[in-house]
Amino acid sequence: MVVLWAVRLIAFLLHREFISWPEWHEKVREVHYRTTSKMKSYVWLTCGVFYSMMMYPCANRMRNAIEQGQNATNWGALGHTGIVLQILGLLLETIADNQKGNFKRKIGNRNKWCNVGLWSTISHPNYLGEAIFWSGVFLGGIGCNRTAKDWLISTTGLVFILSVLKGAVESL
């Protein structure tokens, strides 16, 4: 599911930057030229570390499957709930991004707040979908956490993404 999430995100960002909102590409280029290599390195390193922490439950799940072989097929109720949350979160985020993109493409809506579909009832359904997805990743991997280190890394990753999403919502 995380690979599917990553492919969806890459496709969405490329489409937004180069096809549906070329002005955004120009803003990104301006930021690129104004930002030092050192600052970019810090951002990439920080994001890389925390995304790795968020992926930790998946790594635990895969490690568990390799170690136990065919006996690792029992995910339990928490594992299945985590998968369902990942699917629901990914669907919510995809639908919300699509609705917002369609709204913004209409003449005169580029700088207006999207207020159609999910956006008419939830202020940031795309961020909610993201939070649900990563909560599902965390929940799906809980059964494979064996040590305090596993719990610390998994929990820190989840807290990081939820904090980033909360900060993004509050800044809008």
Side-chain angles (χ1 to χ4, degrees):
M1 289 303 301
V2 173
V3 172
L4 185 60
W5 169 85
V7 168
R8 189 214 74 83
L9 180 63
I10 290 167
F12 167 75
L13 292 174
L14 289 174
H15 185 269
R16 180 183 72 182
E17 187 168 335
F18 292 106
I19 296 171
S20 67
W21 199 355
E23 307 90 47
W24 181 256
H25 180 68
E26 290 305 314
K27 288 180 184 180
V28 170
R29 289 177 76 168
E30 287 176 26
V31 170
H32 172 72
Y33 290 121
R34 287 185 297 170
T35 308
T36 66
S37 295
K38 185 177 180 180
M39 182 57 75
K40 289 177 196 172
S41 298
Y42 286 144
V43 170
W44 279 98
L45 181 62
T46 302
C47 289
V49 166
F50 281 111
Y51 270 98
S52 297
M53 294 171 112
M54 290 166 24
M55 287 291 302
Y56 197 75
C58 296
N60 274 346
R61 176 64 69 186
M62 288 186 281
R63 181 195 67 213
N64 192 40
I66 291 167
E67 289 174 357
Q68 294 183 8
Q70 293 187 8
N71 295 330
T73 57
N74 183 6
W75 281 59
L78 283 177
H80 287 108
T81 303
I83 292 286
V84 168
L85 287 175
Q86 289 174 53
I87 292 168
L88 291 175
L90 191 58
L91 283 172
L92 180 62
E93 185 177 6
T94 302
I95 291 167
D97 284 341
N98 189 43
Q99 288 175 342
K100 184 177 180 182
N102 290 337
F103 177 83
K104 294 288 186 176
R105 273 192 289 281
K106 291 182 181 173
I107 296 173
N109 284 353
R110 173 64 69 202
N111 296 314
K112 290 184 179 176
W113 180 260
C114 182
N115 59 2
V116 298
L118 294 169
W119 295 86
S120 66
T121 56
I122 305 169
S123 63
H124 298 284
N126 53 345
Y127 290 155
L128 178 60
E130 181 97 358
I132 291 170
F133 176 83
W134 286 109
S135 296
V137 170
F138 177 80
L139 197 58
I142 280 179
C144 297
N145 286 343
R146 298 179 183 163
T147 66
K149 178 188 85 169
D150 293 344
W151 282 100
L152 179 65
I153 292 171
S154 298
T155 305
T156 302
L158 181 63
V159 168
F160 166 75
I161 190 62
L162 295 178
S163 298
V164 167
L165 292 171
K166 183 178 184 285
V169 167
E170 289 174 351
S171 71
L172 296 175

